[in-house]
Amino acid sequence: MTAGLVTLGSLKVASRDDLSQSITGTEATGCKATACGSSGGPADMDPATWARVKDHPCYSEEAHHYFARMHVAVAPACNIQCNYCNRKYDCSNESRPGVVSERLTPEQAARKVIAVANEIPQLSVLGIAGPGDAAYDWRKTKETFRLVSAQIPDIKLCLSSNGLALPDHIDDLVAMNIDHVTLTINMLDPEIGAKIYPWIFHDHQRLTGLEASRVLHERQMLSLDLLVARGILVKVNSVLIPGINDAHLLEVNREVKRRGAFLHNIMPLISDPDHGTHFGLTGQRGPTAAELKAVQDACEGGANLMRHCRQCRADAVGLLGQDRGQEFTMDLVPEQVTYDPAARAAWRDWVAHEREDRRAAVAEAEAATGAEVAPQEQPLLVAVCTQGGGRINQHFGHASEFRIYEVDASGVRFVTHRRADNYCTGGAGDENRLAQVIRTLEGVPVILCARIGDCPRDDLAAAGIEAIDTHAHDYIEPAVAAVYRVRKAAPAATRTA
Ligand code: CLF
Ligand code: SF4
């Protein structure tokens, strides 16, 4: 059965009902969902802020089910060296910041953005995140934004910077209506910074050691203060480096909150000798999933946390977790492209309707729950296969990413995502890949998918993981809550997985 299992990116101009049927596999007749909680939605912030983030996939967890971003790699120059970065490294299968396959001029980038906007109606944000520093390589960043916003005025402009050069461009940022800026802040303490940054280039000088980190810290705090004062939403990214800044990130979280950051995104260090980075070559490891979660959990109550980051390449295209960049390399982008706004307008219209429908389902479900969390109750972890739209709409064998939710009597919360190679290759299952998926799902006893074959279902069950496809095309949170209620009502010994 394949009805409804479409790639979101393949959707073109269509009626609202067509879009609904494409994503859900059902007619637009409302949902059967029952219970859940929510995060990063309109209930969590004032209406004016919600209006600014509701279509930004990184600033709203809810939005990342519906909207896509693209990065254009126009800014290769950088003014600092991070021990986790090597901008020379390229691999089309590698998804992490700084990695790109082709660098673009602003004119090429503008052409590419228009081509993508015509093909991917979910596109809402153009980000510049390297491969160097968008604020240091400012002339190219600014020219790219100017060219694109002249043609697509409603696209959100977003940039990512280490903060060293950003104060020099604050007036430009405001004048250009750049509403979202990410600052990477890994430390407040220069002693810790000296273990992360060997040098910086500032004010025509190369600085090293403690002096470099002291100046970088001061400029990062100045950037944050200026951006907040000028009304720009700031997300702070921090790279979690075990043994260097793990304990320190709680302090960073509290300080960036105090200074007015909107979100804090704590990301795991990606480290591998093959990447040729200092940390990779010296054996500095990244955190385990449990270590990352422990630091994130410790920060609860401080700055709001982003947990759905996918550590995108600097030329990523598509929904978060998707990378369709290879479909839009410059040799595939026509010399002449004309922007057609119809597909994006139809998509927004559909999303507005879908969001209302989903919220109604969530509210109904929450009203039906309302129980207290029992003492000692451990939340149930549930993995979900989805292609977006907030629905369980992907076959198990096609999933290369599992979204992990936790649920208890207080509701359903998105926790993180875990990646593994997809089980099905060319129509057949791969046992080695299934073993990898089982390892990836360690500690997660339930997986929800749109469909699964008997063989992988049995192997998962043997590993203690119940695969459920009876919630195919339902909204995620209500389905997760329904599974929780069933498992709570039926002791494990009486269930057949
Ligand atoms: Fe790009 Fe960053 Fe803007 Fe998003 S990414 S510049 S805020 S549009 Fe998003 Fe990608 Fe994580 Fe960045 S998932 S790496 S947080
Ligand atoms: Fe690399 Fe970004 Fe660090 Fe520059 S600021 S060295 S581009 S990670």
Side-chain angles (χ1 to χ4, degrees), residues 50-73:
W50 173 242
R52 295 165 73 190
V53 302
K54 70 182 177 55
D55 298 346
H56 196 308
C58 304
Y59 282 69
S60 159
E61 196 273 323
E62 192 207 50
H64 100 285
H65 294 286
Y66 302 116
F67 289 102
R69 52 71 183 108
M70 73 176 289
H71 290 162
V72 284

Side-chain angles (χ1 to χ4, degrees), residues 256-326:
V256 300
K257 178 184 181 178
R258 191 183 72 75
R259 289 175 182 261
F262 177 75
L263 264 184
H264 189 196
N265 174 24
I266 300 176
M267 313 184 295
L269 170 73
I270 300 172
S271 184
D272 187 310
D274 288 347
H275 299 161
T277 63
H278 174 79
F279 281 154
L281 294 170
T282 55
Q284 170 64 52
R285 69 173 181 90
T288 63
E291 287 170 335
L292 174 65
K293 186 171 185 302
V295 173
Q296 289 173 330
D297 289 350
C299 289
E300 285 293 349
N304 285 334
L305 291 177
M306 174 186 188
R307 292 181 187 251
H308 61 283
C309 176
R310 301 302 200 278
Q311 293 180 278
C312 314
R313 295 166 55 95
D315 56 6
V317 175
L319 294 172
L320 301 193
Q322 226 183 29
D323 192 359
R324 301 182 57 192
Q326 292 307 308

Side-chain angles (χ1 to χ4, degrees), residues 75-87 97-98 129-133 161-162 184 197:
C78 190
N79 49 356
I80 72 175
Q81 180 61 56
C82 304
N83 278 335
Y84 48 76
C85 179
N86 174 9
R87 296 190 303 285
D133 188 80
S161 170
N162 60 45
T184 299
Y197 306 105

Side-chain angles (χ1 to χ4, degrees), residues 184-197 213 217 220-221 236-257 264 266 291 294-296 298-299:
T184 299
I185 299 177
N186 295 321
M187 55 86 198
L188 308 173
D189 178 351
E191 297 273 357
I192 292 174
K195 298 175 186 163
I196 304 172
Y197 306 105
S213 290
H217 166 63
Q220 289 179 336
M221 295 303 109
V236 169
N237 282 359
S238 298
V239 180
L240 171 53
I241 310 164
I244 293 185
N245 70 350
D246 39 0
H248 184 55
L249 287 184
L250 181 59
E251 242 178 280
V252 174
N253 178 274
R254 296 305 187 255
E255 181 62 9
V256 300
K257 178 184 181 178
H264 189 196
I266 300 176
E291 287 170 335
V295 173
Q296 289 173 330
C299 289

